[in-house]
Amino acid sequence: MSATAAKREIKTLEKGKKETTEETISIKNLDVYYGDNHAIKDVSLDISPYKITAFIGPSGCGKSTILRAINRMNDEISNCRMEGDIHWRGHKLLSDEVDPVILREKIGMVFQKPNPFPKSIYDNIAYGPKIHGVKDKDELDDIVEKSLKDAALWDEVKDRLEKNALDLSGGQQQRLCIARALAIEPEVILLDEPCSALDPIATSKIEDLLEELKEDYTVVIVTHNMQQAARISDYTAYMYLGELIEFGETEQIFENPQKENTEKYITGRFG
Amino acid sequence: MVSLKSSSQKDDENPFQKGRNIKEKLIRSVLFIFASLAVIVSALIIFTLLEGSFNFFLGPEGSMLEFFFGTNWMPSGGDPSFGVLPLLMATLVVGGGATLIATPIGLAASIYLAEFAGDKVRNIVKPLIEMLAGIPSIALAYFALFTISPLFRVHFGASYFNMASAMIVISIMVIPIIVSISDDAITAVSSELEDGSLALGTTRWETTKNVIVPSASSGIIGSVLLGLARAVGETMVATLVAGSVANLTFSPLEEGQTMTAYMAQVAKGDIPPGAAIQAAFAVGLLLFIITYLIRLGGELITEHFTGGKEKKSHPFVRRAKERLERGWWRVKSILSTERDKVAALKNRYRKQKMGKVITFLCMIGPLLFLSYFIFNILRKGLPGMSITFLTSYPSRFPDKAGIFPVIMGSIYLISLTMVIAVPIGVGAAIYLKEFAPDKFYSRFLRRIIHNLAGVPSIVFGFIGYIILVEMFSVGGNLLSGSIILAFMALPIIEVSTEEALESVPDSFRDAARGLGATKWETVKNNVLPNALPGIMTGSILSLSRALGETAPILFITTMFAKNPPGGIFDQFMAMPTMIFYWTTHMKEEFQVLAATTIIVLLAILLTMNGIAIYIRYRTQKRRRW
Amino acid sequence: MRMRWNKKLTVVAVFGLLIAGTLVMSGCTGSDDNQLNQTGSSTVLPLAKAWAEEYDGAQISVSGGGSSHGISALLKGEADLADASRQLKPEDIEKVGGDPSKVTDNGTVTGPIKVNGREVEPTKWVVAHDVLTVVVNNQNDWVDELNYTQLYHIFTTDDTSIYWDDVSGLDDAPHKKIRIYAPDEASGTYDYFFESIGGLDNSRLGHDVDKDGKKDYHPSADDNVILDAIKNNEYAIGYFGYAYYKQNTEKVNALSIAEEDEEAVPPTTENVADYPLSRPLHIYTDGVPEEGSTINDYLRYVLSEEGQSIVPGVGYIKVGDVSPGLLQHQLDRLGG
Ligand SMILES: Nc1ncnc2c1ncn2[C@@H]1O[C@H](COP(=O)(O)OP(=O)(O)OP(=O)(O)O)[C@@H](O)[C@H]1O
Ligand SMILES: [Mg+2]
């Protein structure tokens, strides 16, 4: 992408909270193809700011694909093609005008499998800020501390920041990855099954964390755990075979689903 | 297939009689012996080197003190001295220098291949780089002597023989090793790690530089060490280009004799007998140990540190580093008053672009070298190509000279090598993959076979000559030549056969065993046929490598005969050694013929490789499992 | 299944053919008496190759490896003919476990020697003469002859001559450093040169001598290097075999050589009997080969007019040009 385009993006993607309607991520008629595989079929929905939106649905229905569309991670898959649009702050995120590198700085992502870099805990957190231009060591120290605190990991690791991140437990690693995503001060956080590799205690820690995070961030989470979705999310989207079947407030989806398909899924009668 | 009759015929006996076990046991023992041959060969090599070295050190001229600390290597003359340092130094300058050149280029090329090149580029470039690895060293040595070396002489005032040109050309041999192993290591880094970094808003270049390459570092270091071992063991280029005068010098523009070059000098007979030849054992032993340790280091690093963990530095070092860093950033932030993000981003993209361009150039560089090499050899050698050249013997008159008996010598040699190496290599692999019960012994065997692949070819040649010709009086003939080459080709055949067997799914074996077939019957009828293409590909590739080897048969080949050999006990000529002799011939016309011979050799190698690639391609297309 | 079987058959057939082929090949060996193995000195090698090429009476395969290698191969029965640029020495016999006292001063033995339980009687044949040529740059106009004393001063560190005008008798030469390009210590030529001019072992130019770098000395194993350097350096001097000079007569000047006070002799084929830096080249056989045997025929060819006529072309000197008597004597021994 050209430098002028980058400049334009940065001007408008300024920090600070604007009107909430501007902040809404609205997905419009999204289609995603992997080669011939039509993975997302004409999906439209609005993701509300400073809320937790959960995506649920059977395996392979396209939850991860939607998440990867929002921060353009799908660009990294060579045979992946996207149609339709995603609006956020007056930008068409899927257009060529938007530089995915800048976009991802604003929309962070946490993956299903904890993937800390084989570096020290400190360097894992400092990695993003360093690349985005924070060079002052004291400033970095502050960022590392704040992010780890936000991710509720600080107390556990503050004495061993120089230790290799791979020595942490799975739950700690996942919180480290969340801290790593927070360190670049994004405005939206996408989490793709962040708890699937974790035990119940670690899971509840992360759930608590997400509750706190929504004060400052728009949170989107994919989960296979129905209770989890019901517990923490404000809105729930149920997907099936690449289509959005039902979307609404979590309470309504779980207590009064409109579609039979949805009801079957959440009551565990299939999938 | 399984004979059901045999068991029903003996119904009056124990129906569970172990009837077929005798044949089975026999086959199993034969396979076991094949697998264990590598141990015997390795033991012989080590024993011979040790014994020769002992004789040298205990002899009147040899002294351990002088050998390791003397600064003078003068094996002949009235008052010989045997200080190995000059040889070591030249080995270091040539081998180390070559690796130093090859490492950044190879690494950059593999980064481009793995991270930036599309599938199309990869599919073209990777085979080309493999091709570069397949060029016989004697052909590259020719190129180095007549094309690279003059450049150094004219532009840098280097001496006629100089280590610099050897360094350059050997680095070209090392690059493919680094590229292929580093590429594997880089592509093996999990895409999750890559995603993790990209999702933080980093460019691909930043991700590659900061996350992927560090994570692949153990594989990369391993590849560099394997490359170094190769460079240190390289003989022909060092002999022809770096010179044969032991000089204790660091300057690559000067002449220097490497350890391998000294052994080659012994092979050529330019060394008076006595202590000077005994010294070759000590040099060979040292070379053997050095390359072994380098390879071992490389393997240990690749095997044991695949976690990609960072090494921990001493707290003091870390604190000092941190303090330095803090100071540096402070200076930097004062200097850069504008911390304009746009400018920063522009800069980051510029870096990515530069990185891409540089790594691309590093990938293209070796390919340009390859094409220039081929162009050059064709231009020099094609004028010498004619029917006469292909049908007559190597006359002393250049216009009448040809290589018919030489080509035939090479073909007989390689056929005999195949007859020896393929059954042993395949048998060893079958034993290890299908039969080996004892885990420790089979691991040990695998290790030994693996190590055999790392023995420098000149050491193989020297020890092979000592054992086969001097000890067992087999004579300097086709048989001993092909035995030496067979044991050099063996490891690759064994490894590729094991891989081929590995690729046959276990369900095939279970199905046959379930029907009551013995292990051998299963292997013979259900496993081998399916693994055959893989075995053939591996065998052809390793034999083509053997065909281009010069150093191991330098001690054995003849320099003139009118006719091809008539039997396995006849002396013979071979293409690589003929190229060597003609390259060093004083008449320029023969240097042209050397190039023409190179063309013929390359054509044969290309055909063999083509066949191997065709077989691989066809089976990949047909494979259904 | 059918395809598979065919493929298997092909592989088996290929292997079978190969093995059969090799067996047949090995079967042939015994029957071929017309084969000779000749190995040894790399000085003799070009000559041996030329004879092997021209001679039609037998299949001769020729290889190098050095005089010592050749002689030991002959003693062990691995070679029929051993090329040697020097005479047989007692050490050669000692090395293979024979009785060294049987070796005479002129490089023959007094009787058969037992090696590995087999008798062998190394017998010497002089087949040509090798001549060393001392050469200088074409622009060198201050020297066209040198005697052994002068060579000794130039090529050893004893009584050093560093500049051209240091050399005794060359007072009018320019005051320029002598740049020496010569074969290195590993070569037979080096040994022979210093044996001739009488360089003491510890003063002959070599790597360990002249460490202070007083002399401008560049040893090389490659005659091409020496020639190239001398051609390009006005103040250079060096030496190599006449065979090599013969191929490059216009590029450098050859000097006439005098042994001490005698008359200086230029290196030409005609002068070889008088030229000091010349040595005989030998072929050793096991005993005097029987008349009618392949080896006998071959040796007779080598010493015949036809065989000897090849010698100058390779760059060496015919035996008859040096001592016609010896040639005749050897032919007589062969029963010719
Ligand atoms: N890299 C890819 N290449 C090709 N097809 C892909 C790729 N990633 C996903 N798909 C396909 O796209 C569809 C949706 O996949 P996606 O990963 O979004 O499912 P998911 O809902 O996240 O499933 P899960 O719950 O198992 O994670 C599936 O059919 C899958 O096979
Ligand atoms: Mg998923």
Side-chain angles (χ1 to χ4, degrees), chain B residues 475-550:
Chain B
N477 50 34
L478 267 180
L479 183 62
S480 29
S482 48
I483 292 177
I484 293 174
L485 287 182
F487 280 97
M488 290 194 65
L490 188 71
I492 308 181
I493 297 180
E494 197 277 337
V495 169
S496 53
T497 302
E498 263 203 79
E499 272 166 16
L501 295 174
E502 193 82 51
S503 76
V504 178
D506 272 340
S507 55
F508 284 36
R509 295 181 182 84
D510 295 342
R513 295 306 300 276
L515 288 173
T518 65
K519 235 181 192 172
W520 171 245
E521 284 166 346
T522 309
V523 169
K524 195 181 69 179
N525 299 322
N526 300 63
V527 179
L528 271 186
N530 292 312
L532 202 58
I535 295 172
M536 276 164 63
T537 314
S539 303
I540 295 174
L541 288 179
S542 77
L543 288 173
S544 77
R545 178 121 345 140
L547 184 63
E549 284 280 2
T550 316

Side-chain angles (χ1 to χ4, degrees), chain B residues 142-291:
Chain B
Y142 177 93
F143 180 73
L145 185 63
F146 294 122
T147 308
I148 307 283
S149 187
L151 296 179
F152 280 98
R153 265 176 265 154
V154 173
H155 298 295
F156 301 99
S159 54
Y160 185 90
F161 290 113
N162 56 75
M163 296 190 271
S165 25
M167 223 152 88
I168 297 284
V169 171
I170 294 178
S171 77
I172 291 294
M173 307 169 149
V174 173
I175 286 174
I177 299 177
I178 295 185
V179 170
S180 73
I181 303 177
S182 296
D183 178 59
D184 287 350
I186 290 175
T187 38
V189 173
S190 75
S191 63
E192 282 142 16
L193 224 49
E194 192 173 346
D195 280 353
S197 172
L198 287 170
L200 291 170
T202 63
T203 62
R204 186 159 275 277
W205 175 248
E206 286 159 349
T207 300
T208 305
K209 204 181 80 183
N210 296 314
V211 173
I212 296 181
V213 169
S215 303
S217 59
S218 58
I220 292 169
I221 294 171
S223 79
V224 170
L225 287 177
L226 286 184
L228 179 65
R230 169 84 175 81
V232 163
E234 167 54 32
T235 308
M236 297 326 291
V237 175
T239 305
L240 272 177
V241 187
S244 50
V245 175
N247 260 334
L248 190 58
T249 172
F250 253 129
S251 163
L253 295 179
E254 283 183 41
E255 187 173 353
Q257 186 173 38
T258 63
M259 291 193 276
T260 51
Y262 179 71
M263 298 189 68
Q265 202 179 11
V266 171
K268 283 191 296 168
D270 295 348
I271 292 281
I277 290 184
Q278 288 291 308
F281 284 97
V283 173
L285 182 63
L286 189 60
L287 183 64
F288 178 84
I289 293 174
I290 290 176
T291 48

Side-chain angles (χ1 to χ4, degrees), chain B residues 32-52:
Chain B
F32 176 78
I33 290 169
F34 280 173
S36 303
L37 271 181
V39 178
I40 298 171
V41 169
S42 303
L44 267 176
I45 291 178
I46 293 170
F47 174 77
T48 313
L49 278 175
L50 278 177
E51 197 208 37

Side-chain angles (χ1 to χ4, degrees), chain A residues 63-64 112 192-193 222:
Chain A
K63 307 177 295 289
S64 302
Q112 172 173 6
D192 192 352
E193 299 180 47
V222 168

Side-chain angles (χ1 to χ4, degrees), chain B residues 376-393:
Chain B
N376 208 279
I377 293 292
L378 286 178
R379 204 191 48 171
K380 282 208 175 125
L382 272 185
M385 189 67 84
S386 65
I387 296 293
T388 330
F389 182 74
L390 294 174
T391 53
S392 57
Y393 56 81

Side-chain angles (χ1 to χ4, degrees), chain A residues 137 162, chain B residues 317-327:
Chain A
K137 187 84 171 139
E162 297 302 328
Chain B
V317 177
R318 213 167 50 221
R319 265 199 303 276
K321 228 174 92 186
E322 205 179 293
R323 210 159 291 155
L324 263 175
E325 248 173 41
R326 268 174 211 268

